[in-house]
Amino acid sequence: MRILSSDVVSHIGETVRIEGWLHKKRLLGGLTFINVRDRRGLTQVVIKDKDEVEKLRGLQIGTVLAVEGVSTEEPRAPGGAELHDAKLEIMVPVTDEPPIEIDKPIQHKAENLDTLFEYRTLNIRNLQEQKIFKLRGSLTRSIRQFLDEHEFTEIDTPKLLAGATEGGAEVFKLDYFGKEATLAQSPQFYKQMMVGAFERVYEIGHSYRAEPSATSRHLTELTMLDIEMGFVSGHEEVLDMVGDMTQHVLREAYDKHGDDLKSLNAPDLKLPADGKVPRFTVAQIHEMYTKATKNDTTKEKDLIPDEEKWICEYARKELGSDLVFATEFPIEAAKFYHMVDAERGVVFWGDLLFRGLEIATCPLREHNYDKMIEQMTKAGLDVEHPGYKYYLQAFRYGLPMHGGCGFGIDRLVEKTIGLANVKEATLFPRDINRLAP
RNA sequence: GACUCCGUAGUGAAGUGGUUAUCACGCCUCCCUGUCACGGAGGAGAUCGCCGGUUCAAAUCCGGUCGGGGUCGCCA
């Protein structure tokens, strides 16, 4: 009967069996230590019998083996216990030398990320590397819990679409039984349609963008949290919801995984004392940034990357918040589905910035059918195209005022840990240059 | 897409014109009874990304090419 590494300490004096991977050998002559890795972590095994040590000759790290031994209390052992009088059983011998070392810190230097992904299958066996993805799983679990508690219905929407749904980002086109299909750039239209049924919906799924963007914050296949909420009173309510959720999720991550985050060198978490994520309009940020840096951005419609970093540093230092909203984007930035404030020349659109990076966009949508037709026609879109026709049905037959967000999970993980590149937060990243593994 | 930087053993790095290309980790052999990034001695392992050029001489300089990084642009 197999027990797991973390349970060895609770079987002192008993003969137990562990199964796992050979993680490390240390031969000290008459005494050999090996570490065996399983899904919970490592077990230290002490081997004195020469014949048992000999079983390991020629076998590399990664060898799958079982060890039977006496669980022994030992303060010098990691975890306070280790196995003595070990009998080894080799289950899957590995004789090829692994191309990288997995028992030491895995390099995340920008210029070596290519090697990181080339040997992802192996470096993910590194316990430190695993923490990134355990944290990622924990973050999405926490998001689901929060949204479930707030009566959001989780949905799944198709990623194969009949056509480009919007003029903005580049789409991947593919052959679909002789017809042209595209990969979804976001579940936006579907989640809006579902507001007409469930009021509140969310989806955690993949989106695909054919942007030729070679930067540290772009992926061609990304994981998005998409939220849409009906019967909102206005943009403020959308911003509050996303702000509250993000604070809750971050606080929970730091509570549950504080040690892991510390060992990953994550920054301390700073959240606003009053629980309200500070917000600045784009115009305000341009003004503040221009004044502080003498670099005039007042003519820009969007925030430039350096402004995102600057306002985040400002918010952390002056307002004690790692989160900040940039709101009221100029009307020129509006897409046809956005609700605009024509009088003030702004669009109800807020970007949530976290530690220097945009992690979510939170707009209010236009929900009036006639106005949608008007805005789409103005944008030069064919309202009869299957990509829009069914979308518009939802508006025609009644949608309340609604808004939500597209929230980049990869970026959230990246910035929570303090990684330098969004790809480091992704198991098998897809970018302009990489399609495997 | 633009600009810019970089390609050297399995991995990470040093080497800016001159004998046999240096180091660390890993690997192999031997020694080592409390290691935990163990330690010690020895060894194997590199057509210096590729093609061409300059030169008596090229990892090093030049051109091209392929691959990668960073920044910007683009970006639901």
Side-chain angles (χ1 to χ4, degrees):
Chain A
M1 215 8 215
R2 180 195 188 199
I3 69 162
L4 292 164
S5 53
S6 59
D7 292 332
V8 168
V9 71
S10 50
H11 288 80
I12 301 298
E14 299 170 36
T15 296
V16 297
R17 176 187 173 90
I18 58 167
E19 295 177 8
W21 292 266
L22 180 63
H23 192 72
K24 187 68 186 176
K25 289 192 261 190
R26 286 188 198 93
L27 287 75
L28 276 66
L31 184 64
T32 294
F33 294 96
I34 64 169
N35 288 330
V36 177
R37 175 177 55 86
D38 63 20
R39 66 174 185 267
R40 297 259 182 93
L42 302 180
T43 304
Q44 174 159 287
V45 178
V46 184
I47 311 168
K48 291 182 180 170
D49 185 334
K50 292 254 185 309
D51 294 335
E52 294 301 318
V53 175
E54 203 54 32
K55 287 181 185 172
L56 293 169
R57 183 176 286 272
L59 295 182
Q60 302 291 336
I61 302 310
T63 290
V64 180
L65 75 172
V67 180
E68 281 189 16
V70 181
S71 172
T72 308
E73 194 168 12
E74 173 54 73
R76 287 172 296 183
E82 60 188 13
L83 296 190
H84 286 187
D85 303 321
K87 292 272 177 279
L88 272 52
E89 177 195 331
I90 307 301
M91 300 165 95
V92 182
V94 173
T95 51
D96 291 321
E97 182 192 344
I100 57 165
E101 294 153 66
I102 61 159
D103 63 306
K104 294 179 182 164
I106 302 289
Q107 291 270 2
H108 277 232
K109 284 173 65 177
E111 56 267 41
N112 298 330
L113 284 185
D114 202 46
T115 311
L116 181 75
F117 301 127
E118 195 61 30
Y119 299 114
R120 174 55 100 193
T121 323
L122 294 179
N123 64 45
I124 198 60
R125 296 178 172 195
N126 178 280
L127 299 181
Q128 194 73 357
E129 197 69 16
Q130 289 183 2
K131 287 177 186 170
I132 297 172
F133 298 94
K134 288 188 172 177
L135 180 78
R136 183 177 167 125
S138 180
L139 282 168
T140 50
R141 204 155 42 248
S142 177
I143 287 168
R144 284 197 165 91
Q145 267 169 18
F146 181 92
L147 291 170
D148 290 344
E149 279 164 20
H150 288 76
E151 295 186 56
F152 284 79
T153 300
E154 183 168 9
I155 57 170
D156 287 292
T157 65
K159 303 305 161 206
L160 282 167
L161 304 180
T165 47
E166 203 225 323
E170 290 290 323
V171 295
F172 285 107
K173 291 178 180 155
L174 56 101
D175 178 72
Y176 193 75
F177 304 110
K179 288 184 211 159
E180 185 179 283
T182 66
L183 287 176
Q185 297 154 290
S186 98
Q188 190 194 309
F189 287 5
Y190 288 98
K191 67 179 177 176
Q192 285 186 262
M193 295 182 220
M194 288 304 98
V195 166
F198 299 110
E199 291 187 25
R200 300 174 166 199
V201 296
Y202 74 96
E203 169 168 3
I204 296 177
H206 286 184
S207 291
Y208 302 87
R209 296 179 186 179
E211 295 297 335
S213 301
T215 78
S216 58
R217 55 188 189 281
H218 288 93
L219 295 163
T220 52
E221 178 172 34
L222 53 145
T223 305
M224 295 266 290
L225 160 67
D226 269 272
I227 301 177
E228 206 64 31
M229 179 161 67
F231 292 101
V232 292
S233 55
H235 197 207
E236 281 295 307
E237 190 176 345
V238 176
L239 297 181
D240 283 341
M241 197 283 293
V242 177
D244 290 350
M245 177 195 73
T246 310
Q247 290 182 78
H248 170 83
V249 163
L250 286 174
R251 203 172 282 124
E252 198 163 88
Y254 272 77
D255 284 348
K256 281 189 184 165
H257 304 283
D259 291 344
D260 286 352
L261 282 163
K262 199 165 217 168
S263 74
L264 289 164
N265 292 319
D268 293 333
L269 181 64
K270 290 201 174 185
L271 294 177
D274 63 358
K276 194 172 167 77
V277 176
R279 44 203 80 175
F280 296 94
T281 69
V282 169
Q284 283 173 332
I285 296 171
H286 283 330
E287 203 175 301
M288 293 160 73
Y289 176 81
T290 300
K291 203 170 163 191
T293 65
K294 310 290 177 223
N295 177 12
D296 191 352
T297 55
T298 50
K299 301 283 182 294
E300 299 276 343
K301 67 174 184 180
D302 203 342
L303 298 178
I304 64 168
D306 198 48
E307 276 178 300
E308 294 183 351
K309 286 191 193 86
W310 185 87
I311 190 66
C312 283
E313 277 163 26
Y314 176 88
R316 183 173 166 95
K317 233 184 270 166
E318 305 296 327
L319 308 169
S321 177
D322 281 333
L323 293 165
V324 59
F325 275 114
T327 63
E328 298 194 356
F329 280 67
I331 204 159
E332 300 84 58
K335 301 288 190 318
F336 70 85
Y337 49 79
H338 285 135
M339 186 179 275
V340 298
D341 185 338
E343 278 174 32
R344 302 181 53 231
V346 296
V347 49
F348 292 108
W349 169 350
D351 274 359
L352 179 60
L353 308 177
F354 177 43
R355 293 178 178 165
L357 184 67
E358 169 196 336
I359 58 166
T361 62
C362 318
L364 202 58
R365 322 289 183 185
E366 182 51 62
H367 62 282
N368 178 279
Y369 177 70
D370 294 326
K371 214 152 182 198
M372 275 297 282
I373 298 283
E374 189 191 315
Q375 294 188 172
M376 288 175 81
T377 311
K378 212 159 128 192
L381 300 173
D382 175 10
V383 296
E384 287 303 315
H385 188 282
Y388 303 117
K389 189 173 128 187
Y390 305 103
Y391 175 54
L392 285 167
Q393 280 180 354
F395 292 78
R396 189 169 189 177
Y397 300 107
L399 271 191
M401 185 190 277
H402 62 283
C405 71
F407 195 115
I409 296 295
D410 312 279
R411 289 182 176 185
L412 172 69
V413 177
E414 173 200 352
K415 285 298 166 184
T416 300
I417 298 171
L419 300 169
N421 191 310
V422 69
K423 290 166 207 167
E424 298 170 58
T426 312
L427 262 180
F428 296 106
R430 292 289 179 262
D431 66 24
I432 190 164
N433 298 315
R434 184 168 281 280
L435 204 49

Short mmCIF file of all heavy atoms in Angstrom, two decimals, chain A residues 239-279:
data_model
loop_
_atom_site.label_atom_id
_atom_site.label_comp_id
_atom_site.label_asym_id
_atom_site.label_seq_id
_atom_site.Cartn_x
_atom_site.Cartn_y
_atom_site.Cartn_z
N LEU A 239 -17.22 48.43 -12.27
CA LEU A 239 -15.86 48.60 -11.74
C LEU A 239 -15.77 48.07 -10.31
O LEU A 239 -14.80 47.40 -9.94
CB LEU A 239 -15.45 50.07 -11.78
CG LEU A 239 -15.38 50.73 -13.17
CD1 LEU A 239 -14.94 52.19 -13.04
CD2 LEU A 239 -14.43 49.98 -14.10
N ASP A 240 -16.80 48.35 -9.50
CA ASP A 240 -16.79 47.88 -8.12
C ASP A 240 -16.75 46.35 -8.06
O ASP A 240 -16.01 45.77 -7.28
CB ASP A 240 -18.04 48.38 -7.38
CG ASP A 240 -17.91 49.84 -6.99
OD1 ASP A 240 -16.76 50.34 -6.95
OD2 ASP A 240 -18.94 50.48 -6.74
N MET A 241 -17.58 45.73 -8.91
CA MET A 241 -17.64 44.26 -8.89
C MET A 241 -16.27 43.66 -9.24
O MET A 241 -15.76 42.78 -8.54
CB MET A 241 -18.70 43.79 -9.88
CG MET A 241 -19.16 42.36 -9.68
SD MET A 241 -17.99 41.15 -10.29
CE MET A 241 -18.11 41.50 -12.04
N VAL A 242 -15.68 44.14 -10.33
CA VAL A 242 -14.39 43.59 -10.76
C VAL A 242 -13.31 43.91 -9.71
O VAL A 242 -12.47 43.07 -9.39
CB VAL A 242 -13.98 44.14 -12.15
CG1 VAL A 242 -12.61 43.62 -12.55
CG2 VAL A 242 -15.02 43.74 -13.20
N GLY A 243 -13.37 45.12 -9.17
CA GLY A 243 -12.40 45.51 -8.14
C GLY A 243 -12.52 44.66 -6.89
O GLY A 243 -11.52 44.20 -6.33
N ASP A 244 -13.75 44.42 -6.46
CA ASP A 244 -13.98 43.61 -5.26
C ASP A 244 -13.49 42.18 -5.48
O ASP A 244 -12.84 41.58 -4.63
CB ASP A 244 -15.47 43.58 -4.91
CG ASP A 244 -15.95 44.93 -4.38
OD1 ASP A 244 -15.08 45.80 -4.13
OD2 ASP A 244 -17.17 45.11 -4.24
N MET A 245 -13.85 41.63 -6.64
CA MET A 245 -13.46 40.25 -6.93
C MET A 245 -11.94 40.11 -6.93
O MET A 245 -11.39 39.18 -6.33
CB MET A 245 -14.02 39.82 -8.29
CG MET A 245 -13.59 38.42 -8.69
SD MET A 245 -13.87 38.08 -10.42
CE MET A 245 -12.58 39.05 -11.18
N THR A 246 -11.27 41.04 -7.59
CA THR A 246 -9.83 40.94 -7.72
C THR A 246 -9.16 41.04 -6.34
O THR A 246 -8.24 40.28 -6.03
CB THR A 246 -9.30 42.03 -8.66
OG1 THR A 246 -10.06 42.00 -9.87
CG2 THR A 246 -7.83 41.79 -8.99
N GLN A 247 -9.64 41.97 -5.53
CA GLN A 247 -9.07 42.10 -4.18
C GLN A 247 -9.29 40.83 -3.37
O GLN A 247 -8.38 40.35 -2.69
CB GLN A 247 -9.72 43.28 -3.44
CG GLN A 247 -9.34 44.62 -3.99
CD GLN A 247 -9.97 45.75 -3.20
OE1 GLN A 247 -9.51 46.08 -2.12
NE2 GLN A 247 -11.05 46.30 -3.72
N HIS A 248 -10.51 40.29 -3.48
CA HIS A 248 -10.82 39.06 -2.73
C HIS A 248 -9.89 37.92 -3.14
O HIS A 248 -9.33 37.21 -2.30
CB HIS A 248 -12.28 38.67 -3.00
CG HIS A 248 -12.64 37.32 -2.49
ND1 HIS A 248 -13.00 37.09 -1.18
CD2 HIS A 248 -12.64 36.11 -3.10
CE1 HIS A 248 -13.23 35.80 -1.02
NE2 HIS A 248 -13.03 35.17 -2.16
N VAL A 249 -9.74 37.78 -4.45
CA VAL A 249 -8.94 36.67 -4.98
C VAL A 249 -7.48 36.81 -4.60
O VAL A 249 -6.81 35.84 -4.21
CB VAL A 249 -9.13 36.61 -6.52
CG1 VAL A 249 -8.05 35.80 -7.17
CG2 VAL A 249 -10.52 36.07 -6.87
N LEU A 250 -6.96 38.03 -4.66
CA LEU A 250 -5.57 38.25 -4.31
C LEU A 250 -5.34 38.01 -2.82
O LEU A 250 -4.36 37.39 -2.41
CB LEU A 250 -5.15 39.68 -4.67
CG LEU A 250 -4.96 39.94 -6.17
CD1 LEU A 250 -4.70 41.42 -6.42
CD2 LEU A 250 -3.81 39.12 -6.73
N ARG A 251 -6.27 38.51 -2.02
CA ARG A 251 -6.13 38.36 -0.57
C ARG A 251 -6.12 36.87 -0.21
O ARG A 251 -5.30 36.41 0.58
CB ARG A 251 -7.28 39.07 0.14
CG ARG A 251 -6.96 39.45 1.56
CD ARG A 251 -8.05 40.34 2.16
NE ARG A 251 -7.98 41.72 1.73
CZ ARG A 251 -8.99 42.38 1.14
NH1 ARG A 251 -10.13 41.77 0.89
NH2 ARG A 251 -8.85 43.64 0.81
N GLU A 252 -7.01 36.13 -0.85
CA GLU A 252 -7.08 34.70 -0.58
C GLU A 252 -5.80 33.98 -1.01
O GLU A 252 -5.30 33.09 -0.31
CB GLU A 252 -8.30 34.09 -1.30
CG GLU A 252 -8.71 32.75 -0.73
CD GLU A 252 -10.12 32.38 -1.15
OE1 GLU A 252 -10.29 31.77 -2.22
OE2 GLU A 252 -11.06 32.69 -0.40
N ALA A 253 -5.27 34.38 -2.16
CA ALA A 253 -4.02 33.76 -2.64
C ALA A 253 -2.89 34.00 -1.65
O ALA A 253 -2.12 33.10 -1.34
CB ALA A 253 -3.66 34.32 -4.01
N TYR A 254 -2.80 35.22 -1.13
CA TYR A 254 -1.73 35.54 -0.20
C TYR A 254 -1.95 34.87 1.16
O TYR A 254 -0.99 34.53 1.84
CB TYR A 254 -1.57 37.06 -0.04
CG TYR A 254 -0.64 37.66 -1.06
CD1 TYR A 254 -1.05 37.86 -2.37
CD2 TYR A 254 0.67 37.98 -0.73
CE1 TYR A 254 -0.19 38.39 -3.32
CE2 TYR A 254 1.54 38.51 -1.68
CZ TYR A 254 1.11 38.72 -2.97
OH TYR A 254 1.97 39.22 -3.90
N ASP A 255 -3.23 34.67 1.53
CA ASP A 255 -3.51 33.96 2.78
C ASP A 255 -3.14 32.49 2.67
O ASP A 255 -2.50 31.92 3.55
CB ASP A 255 -5.01 34.08 3.12
CG ASP A 255 -5.34 35.46 3.67
OD1 ASP A 255 -4.39 36.21 3.97
OD2 ASP A 255 -6.53 35.78 3.78
N LYS A 256 -3.57 31.87 1.57
CA LYS A 256 -3.40 30.42 1.42
C LYS A 256 -2.00 30.02 0.99
O LYS A 256 -1.54 28.94 1.29
CB LYS A 256 -4.39 29.89 0.37
CG LYS A 256 -5.80 29.72 0.86
CD LYS A 256 -6.60 29.00 -0.21
CE LYS A 256 -8.06 28.87 0.17
NZ LYS A 256 -8.88 28.50 -1.00
N HIS A 257 -1.36 30.88 0.19
CA HIS A 257 -0.08 30.49 -0.43
C HIS A 257 1.02 31.48 -0.10
O HIS A 257 1.93 31.69 -0.91
CB HIS A 257 -0.25 30.37 -1.94
CG HIS A 257 -1.33 29.43 -2.35
ND1 HIS A 257 -1.17 28.06 -2.33
CD2 HIS A 257 -2.60 29.64 -2.74
CE1 HIS A 257 -2.31 27.49 -2.72
NE2 HIS A 257 -3.19 28.42 -2.97
N GLY A 258 0.94 32.08 1.07
CA GLY A 258 1.92 33.09 1.46
C GLY A 258 3.35 32.58 1.39
O GLY A 258 4.23 33.26 0.88
N ASP A 259 3.57 31.36 1.88
CA ASP A 259 4.94 30.82 1.88
C ASP A 259 5.45 30.60 0.46
O ASP A 259 6.59 30.93 0.15
CB ASP A 259 4.98 29.49 2.65
CG ASP A 259 4.75 29.70 4.14
OD1 ASP A 259 4.86 30.87 4.58
OD2 ASP A 259 4.46 28.72 4.84
N ASP A 260 4.58 30.04 -0.38
CA ASP A 260 4.98 29.81 -1.77
C ASP A 260 5.28 31.13 -2.47
O ASP A 260 6.27 31.25 -3.19
CB ASP A 260 3.87 29.08 -2.54
CG ASP A 260 3.79 27.61 -2.15
OD1 ASP A 260 4.68 27.16 -1.41
OD2 ASP A 260 2.85 26.93 -2.58
N LEU A 261 4.41 32.11 -2.24
CA LEU A 261 4.62 33.41 -2.90
C LEU A 261 5.93 34.04 -2.44
O LEU A 261 6.66 34.62 -3.23
CB LEU A 261 3.43 34.33 -2.61
CG LEU A 261 2.20 34.03 -3.46
CD1 LEU A 261 0.95 34.66 -2.88
CD2 LEU A 261 2.41 34.51 -4.89
N LYS A 262 6.21 33.87 -1.16
CA LYS A 262 7.46 34.42 -0.63
C LYS A 262 8.66 33.73 -1.29
O LYS A 262 9.62 34.38 -1.70
CB LYS A 262 7.50 34.22 0.88
CG LYS A 262 8.49 35.12 1.59
CD LYS A 262 8.22 35.15 3.09
CE LYS A 262 8.47 36.53 3.67
NZ LYS A 262 7.97 36.68 5.02
N SER A 263 8.58 32.41 -1.39
CA SER A 263 9.71 31.69 -1.98
C SER A 263 9.85 31.98 -3.47
O SER A 263 10.90 31.77 -4.05
CB SER A 263 9.56 30.18 -1.73
OG SER A 263 8.57 29.63 -2.57
N LEU A 264 8.77 32.44 -4.10
CA LEU A 264 8.85 32.83 -5.51
C LEU A 264 9.24 34.30 -5.66
O LEU A 264 9.24 34.84 -6.76
CB LEU A 264 7.50 32.59 -6.19
CG LEU A 264 7.10 31.13 -6.43
CD1 LEU A 264 5.62 31.02 -6.74
CD2 LEU A 264 7.91 30.53 -7.57
N ASN A 265 9.55 34.93 -4.52
CA ASN A 265 9.93 36.35 -4.50
C ASN A 265 8.82 37.28 -4.96
O ASN A 265 9.08 38.31 -5.60
CB ASN A 265 11.18 36.60 -5.35
CG ASN A 265 12.40 35.97 -4.73
OD1 ASN A 265 12.58 36.03 -3.51
ND2 ASN A 265 13.22 35.33 -5.55
N ALA A 266 7.58 36.91 -4.67
CA ALA A 266 6.46 37.78 -5.01
C ALA A 266 6.51 39.02 -4.12
O ALA A 266 6.92 38.95 -2.97
CB ALA A 266 5.14 37.05 -4.82
N PRO A 267 6.08 40.17 -4.65
CA PRO A 267 6.05 41.38 -3.82
C PRO A 267 4.97 41.26 -2.73
O PRO A 267 4.06 40.45 -2.86
CB PRO A 267 5.68 42.48 -4.82
CG PRO A 267 5.46 41.85 -6.14
CD PRO A 267 5.61 40.38 -6.01
N ASP A 268 5.11 42.09 -1.69
CA ASP A 268 4.04 42.15 -0.69
C ASP A 268 2.78 42.69 -1.35
O ASP A 268 2.85 43.50 -2.26
CB ASP A 268 4.43 43.11 0.44
CG ASP A 268 5.61 42.57 1.24
OD1 ASP A 268 5.76 41.33 1.29
OD2 ASP A 268 6.36 43.38 1.80
N LEU A 269 1.65 42.21 -0.85
CA LEU A 269 0.38 42.65 -1.43
C LEU A 269 -0.08 43.93 -0.76
O LEU A 269 -0.14 44.03 0.47
CB LEU A 269 -0.67 41.55 -1.24
CG LEU A 269 -2.05 41.85 -1.82
CD1 LEU A 269 -2.00 41.98 -3.34
CD2 LEU A 269 -3.05 40.77 -1.40
N LYS A 270 -0.41 44.92 -1.58
CA LYS A 270 -0.97 46.16 -1.04
C LYS A 270 -2.34 46.39 -1.64
O LYS A 270 -2.48 46.53 -2.86
CB LYS A 270 -0.05 47.34 -1.38
CG LYS A 270 1.26 47.30 -0.61
CD LYS A 270 1.92 48.66 -0.54
CE LYS A 270 3.14 48.60 0.36
NZ LYS A 270 3.77 49.88 0.57
N LEU A 271 -3.34 46.43 -0.77
CA LEU A 271 -4.71 46.70 -1.22
C LEU A 271 -5.22 47.92 -0.48
O LEU A 271 -4.83 48.18 0.66
CB LEU A 271 -5.60 45.48 -0.94
CG LEU A 271 -5.25 44.23 -1.76
CD1 LEU A 271 -6.13 43.06 -1.37
CD2 LEU A 271 -5.36 44.50 -3.25
N PRO A 272 -6.09 48.69 -1.12
CA PRO A 272 -6.55 49.94 -0.52
C PRO A 272 -7.24 49.70 0.82
O PRO A 272 -8.02 48.76 0.96
CB PRO A 272 -7.54 50.49 -1.56
CG PRO A 272 -7.89 49.33 -2.44
CD PRO A 272 -6.69 48.44 -2.43
N ALA A 273 -6.93 50.57 1.78
CA ALA A 273 -7.45 50.41 3.13
C ALA A 273 -8.98 50.48 3.16
O ALA A 273 -9.62 49.77 3.93
CB ALA A 273 -6.85 51.48 4.04
N ASP A 274 -9.56 51.32 2.31
CA ASP A 274 -11.02 51.48 2.32
C ASP A 274 -11.72 50.45 1.43
O ASP A 274 -12.94 50.49 1.27
CB ASP A 274 -11.42 52.90 1.91
CG ASP A 274 -10.99 53.22 0.47
OD1 ASP A 274 -10.36 52.35 -0.17
OD2 ASP A 274 -11.29 54.32 -0.01
N GLY A 275 -10.94 49.53 0.83
CA GLY A 275 -11.55 48.48 0.02
C GLY A 275 -12.00 48.92 -1.36
O GLY A 275 -12.59 48.12 -2.10
N LYS A 276 -11.75 50.15 -1.72
CA LYS A 276 -12.17 50.64 -3.03
C LYS A 276 -10.95 50.90 -3.91
O LYS A 276 -10.09 51.70 -3.54
CB LYS A 276 -12.98 51.93 -2.87
CG LYS A 276 -13.75 52.33 -4.13
CD LYS A 276 -14.68 53.50 -3.82
CE LYS A 276 -15.24 54.16 -5.07
NZ LYS A 276 -16.33 53.40 -5.71
N VAL A 277 -10.89 50.20 -5.03
CA VAL A 277 -9.74 50.36 -5.92
C VAL A 277 -9.72 51.79 -6.47
O VAL A 277 -10.71 52.25 -7.03
CB VAL A 277 -9.83 49.34 -7.09
CG1 VAL A 277 -8.69 49.59 -8.08
CG2 VAL A 277 -9.78 47.92 -6.56
N PRO A 278 -8.61 52.50 -6.28
CA PRO A 278 -8.56 53.89 -6.76
C PRO A 278 -8.74 53.96 -8.26
O PRO A 278 -8.36 53.04 -8.98
CB PRO A 278 -7.15 54.34 -6.35
CG PRO A 278 -6.39 53.11 -6.04
CD PRO A 278 -7.36 52.06 -5.65
N ARG A 279 -9.36 55.04 -8.73
CA ARG A 279 -9.55 55.19 -10.17
C ARG A 279 -9.17 56.58 -10.63
O ARG A 279 -9.38 57.56 -9.94
CB ARG A 279 -10.99 54.82 -10.55
CG ARG A 279 -12.07 55.36 -9.67
CD ARG A 279 -13.35 54.54 -9.76
NE ARG A 279 -13.25 53.32 -8.94
CZ ARG A 279 -14.25 52.46 -8.76
NH1 ARG A 279 -15.40 52.63 -9.35
NH2 ARG A 279 -14.09 51.40 -8.00
#
